[in-house]
Amino acid sequence: MAKLLDPYRAKRDFDVSAEPSGRRGRRAKKARFVVQKHDARRLHYDLRLEIDGVLKSWAVTRGPSLVPSDKRLSVPTEDHPIDYLAWEGAIPKGQYGGGTMIVWDTGHWKPVGDLAAALAKGHLEFELQGERLKGRWHLVRMKAAAAIRMSPGC
């Protein structure tokens, strides 16, 4: 079985980029999340949820919205190491994800219902307790390849 962070490491040259090479973390008492503003080829936001010692990650176009009727395309990306919870910096131009990244929000999260079943089904409902984002959210798998809709709950 491939290690969860192998795809992350394969895309990066840690001799060039200051990104953490990473490790799996120990399970925290309260699962954490981070939203990072990522000014790469296109400005977007990265949502990362701590699950099984790594950060499951999605690139969210235009960033999260607080309006329930707004939907945001969210594209799954590779799992990231726990060190990314606080990582900010510049990824060199020409490297995967090149551009600046800042922590936009951070806090704790919890799934609503059974996490494994929700991930398998492709409809994860969860609660965020962050500095900016609070309340219930949904990640819903759509028919388009690897596309997920992120929207706040009602």
Side-chain angles (χ1 to χ4, degrees):
M1 177 163 96
K3 293 180 184 175
L4 291 175
L5 293 174
D6 283 352
Y8 167 84
R9 291 184 185 115
K11 293 180 176 184
R12 290 158 176 82
D13 181 349
F14 298 108
D15 291 332
V16 177
S17 177
E19 290 176 277
S21 58
R23 58 181 168 66
R24 284 186 68 181
R26 293 188 182 159
R27 186 172 204 149
K29 289 183 182 182
K30 287 176 115 180
R32 299 164 288 180
F33 82 93
V34 66
V35 175
Q36 292 165 309
K37 186 175 180 181
H38 190 175
D39 191 4
R41 186 173 36 137
R42 290 194 179 114
L43 179 64
H44 66 278
Y45 292 72
D46 293 307
L47 168 68
R48 305 187 199 287
L49 302 176
E50 182 178 17
I51 301 173
D52 294 333
V54 296
L55 297 173
K56 298 288 184 192
S57 300
W58 295 265
V60 181
T61 60
R62 299 185 294 148
S65 171
L66 300 177
V67 178
S69 61
D70 285 350
K71 310 295 188 235
R72 297 289 194 250
L73 177 65
S74 304
V75 180
T77 64
E78 70 281 359
D79 295 343
H80 282 58
I82 293 297
D83 300 335
Y84 243 83
L85 283 165
W87 191 79
E88 295 183 312
I91 301 168
K93 193 173 189 171
Q95 294 296 304
Y96 176 77
T100 58
M101 186 174 293
I102 63 166
V103 171
W104 183 81
D105 194 19
T106 187
H108 294 95
W109 81 279
K110 65 180 179 180
V112 174
D114 181 79
L115 176 60
L119 289 171
K121 182 180 177 185
H123 187 156
L124 175 60
E125 186 175 349
F126 56 99
E127 293 178 6
L128 296 179
Q129 275 303 327
E131 295 170 20
R132 294 181 181 209
L133 300 176
K134 293 175 181 20
R136 212 169 259 207
W137 296 78
H138 302 262
L139 284 170
V140 180
R141 186 178 306 129
M142 298 172 8
K143 292 184 183 203
I148 292 180
R149 184 180 75 218
M150 180 182 182
S151 61
C154 298

